[in-house]
Amino acid sequence: MAKSSADDAELRRACQLAVEGTRHKVVLSIRTVKTHGTWGKSAKLGRQMAKPRVLALCTKAKGQRTKAFLRVLKYSTGGVLEPAKLYKLKHLSKMEVVTSDPSGFTFTLGFDNLRSQTVAPPPQWTMRNTDDRNRLLLCILNICKDVLGRLPKVVGIDVVEMALWAKENTPAVSAQSNQQGGASIESSVTETELKVYVEKELVSQAEEEDMEALLGNYIMGVGEAEAFSERLKRELQALEAANVHAILESEPLIDEVLHGLELATNCLEDMDEWLGMFNIKLRHMREDIESIETRNNKLEMQSVNNKTLIEELDKLLEQLSIPSEYSACLTGDSFDEAQMQQNIEACEWLTTAMRGLEVPNIDPIYAKMRGVKEKRGELQIIKSTFVGKASEYMRSYFATFVDFMLNDRNYFSQRGQLKRPDHADLRFKCRTYARLLKHLKILDKNCLGPLRKAYCSSLNLLLRKEAREFANELRVGVKTSKNPSLWLEVFTGSGQNVNPADTATVSEAYTKLLTIFIPLLVDESSFFAHFMCFEVPSTVDGNKIKHNDEDNDDGITSATCLTFKKFPWKSVVVDIAALNESLQDLLDGIQEEFSAVVDWAYKIDPLCCISMHGTTERYLSSQKADAAGYVRILLDDLECRISMQFSRFVDDASHQIERNERNARQTGVLPYIPRFASLATRMEQFVAGQSRDLVDQAYTKFVSIMFVTLEKNSQADPKYADIFLIENYAAFQNSLYDLAHVVPTLAKFYHQASEEYEQACTRHISVIIYYQFERLFQFARKIEDLILNNVAPEEIPFQVGLSKVDLRKTLKSSLSGVDKSIAAMYKKLQKNLTSEELLPSLWDKCKKDFLDKYESFVQLVAKIYPAESVPSVAELRDLLVSM
């Protein structure tokens, strides 16, 4: 027999090493196999799920108390034992041997603190043999008794078998315990104590004696095997003889029993025949009952089906029937305001009824029925009739109501009274039919095209007349000068000026026109888009132009614009092209009235275009809604017309500059330079917003032509060209000094004029200096040319015309009477100037340039002719200061 793993010292040392650091003392270690039974069924040996484990009984001393544990150790990847689970023996409540294992090697341990036992079965431990199982269980019982003072419940273990095993294996257990040695727990498993435990706990002394007596009775007389066999043979023969005798004595009884059996057999045969007959009858009855039940079930099913069919047909008939009140509205031709609610309800019913007969909303089988098809065709005819009558009525209604407004003078501006357009009555009437139009679109989306055209055509006449009357009254109400001067006279210098009050009045009139009509057109566009069921976002009110006009209470409020905002937003592509086409029909022609006001203002004062352009741009940038798309186009056209008129003014003025200066005297400051400064000052008064670009473009064109014309005029007399440029560029800078600080475009031209002025001054002063001291500076230029040609300085005095004698002659002829030469320069500079205020600055520049040139000459002489002496720069500077 193989050695038990409980006697394996190496295993016990490995277990002790695995629990090192926990102060646990291994009492017993033994190998086992861990398995799991099936939940809800008897436990079976799951060999395919068996896992090798080692069970180790451990103790831990804590003061006067000792604790006992059961450790489960498993093998790691390297074959080393490592702790897996820890159970406290104080919670051990039951030890049960698994009955489904015929070997009896498998048992389970029940702990009362493991709540997971209610969910999953406890693990099963399978030992190698009965000895290993009994040794482990006895050791657990001993430790529980000595340490805990109580014993767990034992289930499925034969007490007699355990007692006999304990007696036979007490020495082995004692030896095992003595090998462990040590504390009181180890000494408790000695031979004497184990014997006492087995006697006291498993069977009592009296029970043992009774069992021995019983076993003695059974084995009494059992000596040798042959004698015992002979005895058994004799007893068997005696029993057989006794049985034969009993049979012979019971023959009469047997006859009676046989007779009774025969009678019973006859009765059973008769009963079998009766039962066969009854069975046949019952089978027939069963077949009849089944046939009756089958027919009954069919009748019940047919009854239920008929009832359901009747209900469905009733529903279908109800769906197909047209209510009398709706039929009267749909087939009649009354569309008055009083009947509008009934007409709308009839439209809603017709829309629902037609949708209800479509396949998604009705069973496909019903959709193929002839009655449903005929009813669908009937509804189509009713729909077409109703839509045609309603559309004709609405077209006639729009035209009639607008004609009424056109014929009523109270709706328009009259002489001496500006009338703000009031469409409150029209809006109220239209809102009455708004829901009807929505349902007409649902019934037939193509019917709205003619309606939209009719509405646009009628309302276009009204808007154009309102704009025309309002614009005419605006022009009549503006009082201007009787003989207004032409804008061209600003440059011709006729002495007449445009009255600034006239310009301001005209600009205010144009602003008032836009203030009244642009919000009106935007509101009308938005109202039209929603009234005629275009799918556009309602964002117009958020972009409406704010103005402080006290007469703004015209009934056209944001509430009017948002009347149809309750229509749900749909995720569809907005048909902007169709909307813009309709808006063009609605607003086409009204731009002519606006353009007439622009042309009228241009005739009074072309500079009005600047303020009108800024006002138009402000309104244009505020229109962002889809419904106001055509209003943006209208404002774009209006802005283009204003820009065109202003460009015409700029072009005419530019041509006048060229024509006016061709025959002018080519001396002094030309007249258009100061007049341009006056014009720029007036133009800046009207600049606002985006009109800055317009004005800057005009400045660019004006100044460019002025500078080009100035250069051309200067070439007419080259002798005095620089003086002519000096005076005109200086006048340009002086006249635009203040504006150049605030207008970047003018500042750019100011700097350009300044550069041209400096260049002209430099050229003119150089001419004057060379005229008086030509020989002196001509000598210096010859020296510089030789130096540039890489001639050595010491060789220059030996060149022709550059000897020391030549130098002395040059100095004598140029510097003798230098004060007279300087005075001549001053007179020459003064003689040709017409602007005396420029003389001091030009003379200072002349003196500075002369001294710079002379200083360069002195340096050349000191370098080339070191032995020669010339008057110093300081002497000439003092001379210039004293003059």
Side-chain angles (χ1 to χ4, degrees):
M1 184 175 180
K3 181 181 178 181
S4 174
S5 60
D7 301 328
D8 191 350
E10 292 295 334
L11 178 63
R12 188 162 53 257
R13 281 194 293 271
C15 294
Q16 187 64 52
L17 184 62
V19 300
E20 187 177 3
T22 60
R23 296 190 300 172
H24 285 190
K25 185 72 173 178
V26 178
V27 178
L28 175 67
S29 61
I30 190 167
R31 292 187 178 90
T32 182
V33 174
K34 177 183 177 182
T35 58
H36 284 278
T38 304
W39 179 259
K41 299 181 180 180
S42 298
K44 296 182 180 180
L45 290 178
R47 297 297 182 184
Q48 70 279 7
M49 299 176 59
K51 300 178 183 178
R53 294 289 187 269
V54 175
L55 295 178
L57 289 172
C58 304
T59 59
K60 179 181 178 181
K62 188 174 182 180
Q64 300 297 327
R65 299 172 56 192
T66 302
K67 294 184 178 181
F69 304 93
L70 175 65
R71 278 188 173 274
V72 181
L73 295 93
K74 64 179 180 180
Y75 289 96
S76 63
T77 306
V80 180
L81 287 175
E82 59 182 15
K85 287 189 178 181
L86 176 66
Y87 300 97
K88 295 182 179 180
L89 289 184
K90 68 178 182 179
H91 295 296
L92 181 63
S93 60
K94 180 175 69 172
M95 296 190 304
E96 179 178 2
V97 175
V98 178
T99 58
S100 61
D101 184 6
S103 65
F105 300 161
T106 305
F107 64 91
T108 60
L109 299 177
F111 293 87
D112 56 9
N113 66 331
L114 298 182
R115 301 185 181 275
S116 62
Q117 290 179 358
T118 60
V119 179
Q124 298 178 356
W125 310 100
T126 303
M127 312 303 293
R128 296 177 58 189
N129 49 48
T130 306
D131 292 342
D132 286 354
R133 184 202 70 181
N134 292 342
R135 178 174 295 183
L136 177 63
L137 296 182
L138 279 175
C139 189
I140 292 175
L141 290 173
N142 277 329
I143 292 177
C144 290
K145 176 178 178 296
D146 294 339
V147 176
L148 306 176
R150 66 177 182 80
L151 293 175
K153 182 180 179 181
V154 181
V155 179
I157 303 177
D158 189 356
V159 178
V160 177
E161 180 185 353
M162 287 289 290
L164 294 176
W165 184 89
K167 282 187 176 183
E168 293 175 0
N169 296 277
T170 298
V173 176
S174 301
Q176 172 68 25
S177 301
N178 291 332
Q179 289 176 4
Q180 296 173 2
S184 61
I185 299 302
E186 290 80 346
S187 62
S188 66
V189 198
T190 60
E191 179 180 357
T192 304
E193 292 182 353
L194 183 57
K195 182 177 180 180
V196 173
Y197 169 76
V198 172
E199 291 176 352
K200 290 183 178 181
E201 298 300 333
L202 296 180
V203 291
S204 63
Q205 186 66 31
E207 291 174 342
E208 184 179 358
E209 292 176 356
D210 291 340
M211 286 190 292
E212 290 178 355
L214 181 61
L215 293 174
N217 290 335
Y218 276 102
I219 63 175
M220 186 179 295
V222 179
E224 297 179 358
E226 294 179 359
F228 184 67
S229 179
E230 290 295 332
R231 177 181 177 183
L232 290 178
K233 289 180 181 179
R234 290 194 299 274
E235 290 181 355
L236 179 59
Q237 291 175 358
L239 287 174
E240 290 178 353
N243 290 335
V244 172
H245 181 73
I247 291 173
L248 293 175
E249 288 182 351
S250 61
E251 182 178 358
L253 297 176
I254 292 174
D255 292 338
E256 292 180 3
V257 171
L258 292 175
H259 180 68
L261 288 175
E262 185 177 358
L263 294 176
T265 301
N266 294 332
C267 292
L268 290 175
E269 290 176 355
D270 295 340
M271 185 175 295
D272 183 58
E273 292 179 0
W274 296 343
L275 290 176
M277 295 172 59
F278 287 137
N279 189 25
I280 293 173
K281 293 180 179 181
L282 289 175
R283 185 171 66 249
H284 292 166
M285 293 177 63
R286 191 180 303 111
E287 292 176 356
D288 295 340
I289 292 173
E290 288 178 357
S291 177
I292 293 171
E293 288 180 351
T294 301
R295 290 196 299 270
N296 187 29
N297 290 338
K298 290 181 179 179
L299 290 174
E300 289 182 358
M301 182 62 68
Q302 185 176 2
S303 176
V304 173
N305 290 337
N306 289 337
K307 183 179 180 181
T308 305
L309 179 59
I310 291 173
E311 292 177 355
E312 290 295 328
L313 290 176
D314 289 340
K315 292 179 181 178
L316 184 59
L317 288 174
E318 183 180 356
Q319 187 176 358
L320 296 178
S321 62
I322 303 177
S324 58
E325 62 274 14
Y326 296 151
S327 177
C329 292
L330 293 173
T331 57
D333 54 359
S334 177
F335 295 96
D336 295 336
E337 296 180 9
Q339 300 293 327
M340 192 50 54
Q341 184 63 31
Q342 290 81 354
N343 290 331
I344 291 173
E345 292 177 358
C347 286
E348 292 176 350
W349 177 88
L350 180 59
T351 302
T352 304
M354 295 185 68
R355 288 177 179 174
L357 296 181
E358 299 296 333
V359 172
N361 301 317
I362 192 173
D363 194 280
I365 298 176
Y366 291 166
K368 297 178 182 179
M369 295 176 62
R370 186 177 66 182
V372 175
K373 293 180 180 178
E374 292 177 354
K375 181 57 66 174
R376 191 183 299 118
E378 181 183 353
L379 292 179
Q380 287 287 349
I381 295 173
I382 293 175
K383 181 197 76 172
S384 301
T385 303
F386 178 78
V387 169
K389 292 181 179 180
S391 300
E392 183 63 29
Y393 175 81
M394 293 300 296
R395 287 196 295 269
S396 175
Y397 183 82
F398 292 149
T400 303
F401 192 80
V402 171
D403 288 341
F404 168 75
M405 295 182 67
L406 289 173
N407 295 326
D408 190 350
R409 290 294 302 170
N410 293 326
Y411 284 100
F412 305 99
S413 297
Q414 302 179 21
R415 184 171 297 277
Q417 179 184 3
L418 279 175
K419 177 69 174 179
R420 181 189 298 273
D422 186 0
H423 295 177
D425 295 339
L426 178 61
R427 297 285 180 84
F428 178 79
K429 296 292 184 181
C430 290
R431 282 197 295 269
T432 305
Y433 296 95
R435 292 183 62 191
L436 178 61
L437 288 180
K438 177 184 176 184
H439 288 289
L440 288 179
K441 179 182 179 182
I442 295 173
L443 292 174
D444 185 5
K445 61 180 179 181
N446 296 324
C447 73
L448 289 183
L451 279 178
R452 291 167 179 170
K453 288 186 178 295
Y455 180 87
C456 292
S457 177
S458 300
L459 192 60
N460 179 261
L461 296 175
L462 178 63
L463 291 174
R464 291 183 64 178
K465 184 174 181 180
E466 289 174 340
R468 183 167 56 254
E469 297 294 338
F470 192 88
N472 291 338
E473 189 58 32
L474 269 180
R475 289 194 290 268
V476 172
V478 173
K479 304 298 182 182
T480 58
S481 301
K482 293 183 179 180
N483 296 317
S485 63
L486 298 176
W487 53 265
L488 194 58
E489 295 178 358
V490 175
F491 277 48
T492 59
S494 62
Q496 295 177 342
N497 294 321
V498 177
N499 188 359
D502 295 345
T503 304
T505 304
V506 171
S507 299
E508 290 176 0
Y510 177 78
T511 302
K512 190 168 188 178
L513 178 67
L514 294 189
T515 302
I516 297 299
F517 275 89
I518 295 303
L520 173 65
L521 298 181
V522 172
D523 289 348
E524 286 296 337
S525 300
S526 178
F527 180 83
F528 170 76
H530 293 90
F531 178 58
M532 286 299 173
C533 303
F534 285 99
E535 294 168 352
V536 293
S538 299
T539 57
V540 178
D541 60 322
N543 298 305
K544 290 174 66 177
I545 300 173
K546 305 298 181 182
H547 51 86
N548 299 323
D549 198 328
E550 296 179 356
D551 299 330
N552 192 29
D553 188 11
D554 60 349
I556 306 174
T557 61
S558 59
T560 304
C561 296
L562 299 178
T563 302
F564 303 96
K565 198 170 184 179
K566 61 183 179 180
F567 289 173
W569 174 264
K570 301 177 181 179
S571 301
V572 295
V573 178
V574 181
D575 191 2
I576 298 297
L579 176 60
N580 285 335
E581 183 179 355
S582 297
L583 291 178
Q584 184 175 3
D585 295 338
L586 178 68
L587 304 178
D588 190 28
I590 197 171
Q591 66 271 20
E592 298 175 0
E593 311 303 332
F594 288 18
S595 299
V597 175
V598 171
D599 297 341
W600 165 75
Y602 173 78
K603 292 178 181 179
I604 294 176
D605 185 1
L607 298 186
C608 290
C609 294
I610 300 175
S611 60
M612 290 191 298
H613 185 277
T615 303
T616 306
E617 182 62 32
R618 185 173 70 253
Y619 278 88
L620 184 61
S621 62
S622 65
Q623 306 306 318
K624 300 177 181 179
D626 293 332
Y630 192 76
V631 177
R632 291 182 58 86
I633 297 175
L634 188 148
L635 289 172
D636 281 334
D637 294 342
L638 195 59
E639 185 180 32
C640 291
R641 188 173 186 86
I642 294 172
S643 300
M644 181 186 68
Q645 294 284 30
F646 189 71
S647 298
R648 176 185 168 191
F649 158 72
V650 174
D651 292 340
D652 291 346
S654 301
H655 294 321
Q656 184 63 28
I657 291 174
E658 296 174 350
R659 290 194 303 268
N660 189 44
E661 300 303 334
R662 285 176 183 172
N663 300 321
R665 186 171 58 88
Q666 305 300 323
T667 58
V669 178
L670 297 180
Y672 62 73
I673 291 180
R675 290 170 189 166
F676 171 74
S678 301
L679 177 64
T681 302
R682 287 201 60 214
M683 291 172 67
E684 287 299 319
Q685 297 174 0
F686 302 105
V687 174
Q690 297 296 326
S691 58
R692 164 56 60 192
D693 295 338
L694 185 70
V695 174
D696 287 345
Q697 294 174 5
Y699 286 159
T700 301
K701 188 165 186 178
F702 280 145
V703 177
S704 299
I705 292 177
M706 287 167 57
F707 285 177
V708 171
T709 304
L710 186 62
E711 293 292 338
K712 289 182 180 180
N713 291 340
S714 66
Q715 299 302 322
D717 188 0
K719 181 178 180 180
Y720 300 103
D722 291 332
I723 298 176
F724 179 75
L725 293 176
I726 289 171
E727 293 179 340
N728 281 276
Y729 282 126
F732 182 86
Q733 294 180 72
N734 293 333
S735 60
L736 293 178
Y737 179 79
D738 294 331
L739 287 177
H741 284 78
V742 294
V743 182
T745 302
L746 292 180
K748 179 183 67 173
F749 291 113
Y750 181 88
H751 294 306
Q752 181 181 349
S754 178
E755 293 175 359
E756 296 292 339
Y757 172 80
E758 292 294 334
Q759 294 175 6
C761 288
T762 302
R763 291 193 303 269
H764 182 59
I765 291 173
S766 296
V767 170
I768 294 176
I769 293 175
Y770 277 102
Y771 182 79
Q772 295 295 331
F773 299 94
E774 180 178 4
R775 187 175 179 184
L776 179 68
F777 294 117
Q778 188 67 32
F779 190 87
R781 183 175 297 175
K782 292 180 181 180
I783 296 175
E784 291 175 351
D785 292 340
L786 291 176
I787 293 174
L788 292 175
N789 291 327
N790 298 323
V791 178
E794 58 271 13
E795 296 179 359
I796 293 176
F798 303 99
Q799 300 294 326
V800 177
L802 296 177
S803 63
K804 295 180 180 179
V805 176
D806 295 330
L807 174 63
R808 295 188 189 102
K809 291 179 181 180
T810 301
L811 291 174
K812 182 177 180 180
S813 61
S814 299
L815 297 181
S816 60
V818 66
D819 53 345
K820 296 180 180 180
S821 298
I822 294 174
M825 279 196 309
Y826 180 81
K827 291 179 180 180
K828 187 173 183 62
L829 184 65
Q830 183 182 22
K831 175 182 178 182
N832 299 323
L833 281 178
T834 59
S835 300
E836 293 295 333
E837 64 272 10
L838 296 178
L839 183 60
S841 61
L842 287 176
W843 175 241
D844 291 338
K845 182 173 179 60
C846 182
K847 292 189 293 185
K848 180 178 180 302
D849 290 351
F850 172 73
L851 289 176
D852 292 341
K853 293 178 182 296
Y854 183 74
E855 184 176 3
S856 299
F857 173 77
V858 170
Q859 292 176 357
L860 284 175
V861 171
K863 182 178 180 181
I864 305 302
Y865 309 96
E868 298 296 328
S869 62
V870 296
S872 64
V873 176
E875 293 177 1
L876 288 182
R877 182 179 294 109
D878 294 340
L879 179 62
L880 290 173
V881 170
S882 63
M883 292 183 67

